[in-house]
């Protein structure tokens, strides 16, 4: 056998950077099916905690480091990086059926009609509540509740230390407390930046929304809310201690699972609450697979991404782990499946939430940015982190809401000037 022939047979190794949550860990396990079907490709996984993943892939792509052949990126990065020419356009075939992707998710990953990332799973936000407690209080929760109705229900079902009326994120972070709070501000008629890119953090809608949030959690929330994020509240909800929770639709599959939740059969679902406007009340997020622009292994990477985000992959997960455990929020065909509808009683509410989100029109006054619960500009990470810390301090009672918003406005203004948006 000649040397040249031996070299030609060396398998292509794809290094995949991903986040350490359940759906991705499953993708890693099922990767052996892909390798069996594609013997010339080997998969190598780098699985990281969300914050670390963001840092590593951002550094790698900005410096053209070439460490990763496939990156797991959010809906925040995809349009920014696509616009900068940092990502390969994804080419899909007829079998992939790109028109089956949910329009809200697909449009957020598309720039100038080019798809730059393929959604692995998507989510919006929703209200999850204990129907037994609402029934006992004599309250029928509407499919589209208002924030005033939510406050009323929280008051009536609050019975500490057994049950807290409402649980909401308080832990600081642009994708943490600020993901939730931005939707609350949106529906109160607010926005991050006006059309001249000036931050709007001391506007009336911000003051109303943040005051309502702080009062709600102070009066009817669990102690220590300023440190609670998704996982902490999930544990509280599953142990029966939260009467209500507004968060990612992905949580619905966990709180309605009797293996995880003590109150699984009591949980019911509605849309995220609205106030002055329905715009931007439900967030929109997806974790997506993308290929860095300088990649030397585009064909193999395309092949893997097509496999992992296909209809067939969803069927494979369903066959392996049951329909209740498939990655959701990406394809119309998943929601059209009778098996999925039967396994996931939150399916209709989740789909409605995702379809109602519009990243290009999520605020009542016109805004210059794309994104529902974030603004897709590079400066937003720093701004969101700074503001998140102020909001967490206000929630903990260390500073007033007014002082927190004033400090937030100063921090945002400084970043935007530094970014050259205005002088």
């Amino acid at each position: 056998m000649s040397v040249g022939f031996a070299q030609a047979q060396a398998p292509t190794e794809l290094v995949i950077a991903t986040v350490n949550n359940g759906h991705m860990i499953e993708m890693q396990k099922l990767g052996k099916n892909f390798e069996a079907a594609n013997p010339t490709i080997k998969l190598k996984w780098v699985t990281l905690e969300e914050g670390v993943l963001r840092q590593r892939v951002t550094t790698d792509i900005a410096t053209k480091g070439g460490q990763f052949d496939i990156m797991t990126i959010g809906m925040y990065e995809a349009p920014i990086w696509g616009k900068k020419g940092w990502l390969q356009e994804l080419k899909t075939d007829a079998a992939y059926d790109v028109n089956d992707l949910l329009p809200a998710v697909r449009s957020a990953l598309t720039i100038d009609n080019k798809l730059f990332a393929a959604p692995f799973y998507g989510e919006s936000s929703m209200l999850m509540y204990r129907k037994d407690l609402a029934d006992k209080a004599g309250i029928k929760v509407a499919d589209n509740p208002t924030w005033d109705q939510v406050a009323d229900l929280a008051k009536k079902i609050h019975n500490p230390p057994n049950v807290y009326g409402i649980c909401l994120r308080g832990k600081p972070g642009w994708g943490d407390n600020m993901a939730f709070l931005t939707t609350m501000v949106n529906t109160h008629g607010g926005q991050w930046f006006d059309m001249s890119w000036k931050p709007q953090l001391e506007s009336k809608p911000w003051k109303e929304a943040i005051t309502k949030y702080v009062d709600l959690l102070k009066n009817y929330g669990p102690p220590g809310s300023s440190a609670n994020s998704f996982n902490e509240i999930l544990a509280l909800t599953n142990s029966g201690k939260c009467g209500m929770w507004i968060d990612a639709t992905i949580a619905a599959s966990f709180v309605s699972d009797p293996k995880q939740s003590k109150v699984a059969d009591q949980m019911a679902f509605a849309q995220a609450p609205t106030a002055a406007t329905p715009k931007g009340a439900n967030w929109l997020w997806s974790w997506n697979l993308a290929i860095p622009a300088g990649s030397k292994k585009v064909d193999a990477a395309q092949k893997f991404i097509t496999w992992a985000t296909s209809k067939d992959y969803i069927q494979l997960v369903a066959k392996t782990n049951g329909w209740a455990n498939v990655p959701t929020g990406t394809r119309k065909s998943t929601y059209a499946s009778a098996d999925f509808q039967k396994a996931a009683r939150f399916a209709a509410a989740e789909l409605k939430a995702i379809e109602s989100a519009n990243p290009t029109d999520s605020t009542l006054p016109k805004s210059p940015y794309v994104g529902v619960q974030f603004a897709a500009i590079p400066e937003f990470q720093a701004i969101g982190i700074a503001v998140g810390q102020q909001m967490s301090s206000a929630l903990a009672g260390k500073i007033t809401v007014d002082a927190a918003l004033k400090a937030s406005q100063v921090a945002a203004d400084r970043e935007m000037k530094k970014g050259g948006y205005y002088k």
Side-chain angles (χ1 to χ4, degrees):
M1 191 161 87
S2 74
V3 178
F5 185 70
Q7 278 175 330
Q9 292 305 301
T12 305
E13 185 183 70
L14 288 178
V15 183
I16 306 169
T18 194
V19 67
N20 66 345
N21 59 28
H23 284 310
M24 279 70 170
I25 290 165
E26 202 45 50
M27 168 172 55
Q28 203 169 328
K29 286 188 200 150
L30 294 171
K32 61 178 189 297
N33 295 286
F34 174 81
E35 289 176 325
N38 298 275
T40 60
I41 302 173
K42 296 271 336 132
L43 305 177
K44 187 180 173 198
W45 297 87
V46 181
T47 310
L48 304 161
E49 190 265 322
E50 187 175 324
V52 183
L53 172 82
R54 280 187 208 285
Q55 245 167 341
R56 293 265 308 264
V57 300
T58 303
T59 306
D60 189 61
I61 202 150
T63 59
K64 300 193 170 46
Q67 267 186 300
F68 307 115
D69 302 303
I70 294 173
M71 296 175 162
T72 303
I73 63 173
M75 205 174 252
Y76 166 72
E77 292 90 354
I80 300 177
W81 294 359
K83 212 180 251 165
K84 284 189 171 184
W86 289 0
L87 300 173
Q88 284 281 353
E89 182 189 350
L90 294 181
K91 302 272 192 255
T92 56
D93 58 12
Y96 184 79
D97 191 4
V98 76
N99 292 321
D100 184 46
L101 295 177
L102 295 174
V105 177
R106 183 183 170 186
S107 78
L109 305 172
T110 303
I111 296 274
D112 302 329
N113 293 322
K114 292 179 178 163
L115 185 69
F116 283 109
F120 180 65
Y121 81 78
E123 63 179 33
S124 183
S125 50
M126 66 186 348
L127 170 67
M128 299 165 270
Y129 65 96
R130 287 209 17 209
K131 193 172 177 304
D132 56 330
L133 299 179
D135 289 348
K136 211 167 110 185
I139 291 182
K140 185 176 177 349
V141 177
D143 278 341
N144 283 88
T146 65
W147 270 106
D148 291 341
Q149 289 167 338
V150 162
D152 182 47
L153 179 59
K155 184 179 175 176
K156 292 194 167 124
I157 61 182
H158 186 56
N159 181 21
N162 305 323
V163 175
Y164 300 99
I166 190 163
C167 296
L168 299 168
R169 296 182 182 199
K171 189 181 180 187
W174 73 266
D176 231 309
N177 63 344
M178 293 321 298
F180 166 74
L181 283 172
T182 302
T183 61
M184 198 169 172
V185 167
N186 289 342
T187 193
H188 281 81
Q191 64 189 147
W192 274 98
F193 309 103
D194 68 10
M195 289 307 285
S196 336
W197 289 106
K198 290 270 171 46
Q200 298 297 302
L201 289 141
E202 289 184 281
S203 61
K204 189 165 163 265
W206 271 89
K207 284 186 181 170
E208 278 176 9
I210 304 303
T211 303
K212 199 177 284 185
Y213 161 77
V214 169
D215 288 349
L216 263 175
L217 287 177
K218 203 166 67 188
N219 296 324
Y220 316 118
S225 280
S226 60
N228 284 350
S229 181
F230 181 87
N231 288 329
E232 290 80 9
I233 302 174
L234 177 61
L236 282 168
T237 303
N238 282 347
S239 69
K241 285 193 178 284
C242 292
M244 245 186 303
W245 179 24
I246 297 142
D247 213 303
T249 50
I250 203 84
S253 59
F254 307 139
V255 300
S256 60
D257 175 4
K259 288 201 280 288
Q260 300 182 42
S261 167
K262 272 191 191 162
V263 288
D265 35 353
Q266 304 298 346
M267 296 306 293
F269 309 98
Q271 297 303 297
T274 58
T277 172
K279 281 189 179 192
N282 305 61
W283 77 52
L284 186 68
W285 183 255
S286 59
W287 280 113
N288 319 286
L289 300 175
I291 307 171
S295 172
K296 306 275 185 286
K297 302 172 185 171
V298 177
D299 291 347
Q302 283 266 17
K303 212 174 230 183
F304 177 78
I305 290 177
T306 303
W307 174 81
T309 61
S310 66
K311 294 180 194 176
D312 287 349
Y313 178 82
I314 290 167
Q315 295 282 346
L316 174 66
V317 177
K319 204 171 73 195
T320 315
N321 303 317
W323 271 102
N325 301 301
V326 301
T328 56
T330 59
R331 287 182 169 273
K332 298 173 200 169
S333 52
T334 304
Y335 294 90
S337 153
D339 293 323
F340 176 65
Q341 288 169 19
K342 204 164 70 202
R345 54 192 170 82
F346 54 84
E350 177 179 63
L351 182 62
K352 189 177 167 190
I354 290 172
E355 286 182 333
S356 75
N358 181 353
T360 57
D361 181 22
S362 61
T363 57
L364 192 55
K366 213 166 147 45
S367 294
Y369 54 87
V370 174
V372 182
Q373 76 285 15
F374 57 84
I377 55 170
E379 293 72 20
F380 184 75
Q381 288 203 36
I383 293 171
I385 289 166
V387 176
Q389 281 160 345
Q390 295 295 333
M391 299 305 114
S392 200
S393 294
L395 181 57
K398 292 179 189 157
I399 50 172
T400 64
V401 169
D402 279 358
L405 290 171
K406 191 175 180 159
S408 296
Q409 177 72 16
V410 169
D413 183 52
R414 191 172 51 229
E415 284 295 328
M416 295 305 276
K417 277 185 178 145
K418 204 166 84 185
Y421 286 81
Y422 51 82
K423 284 192 170 56

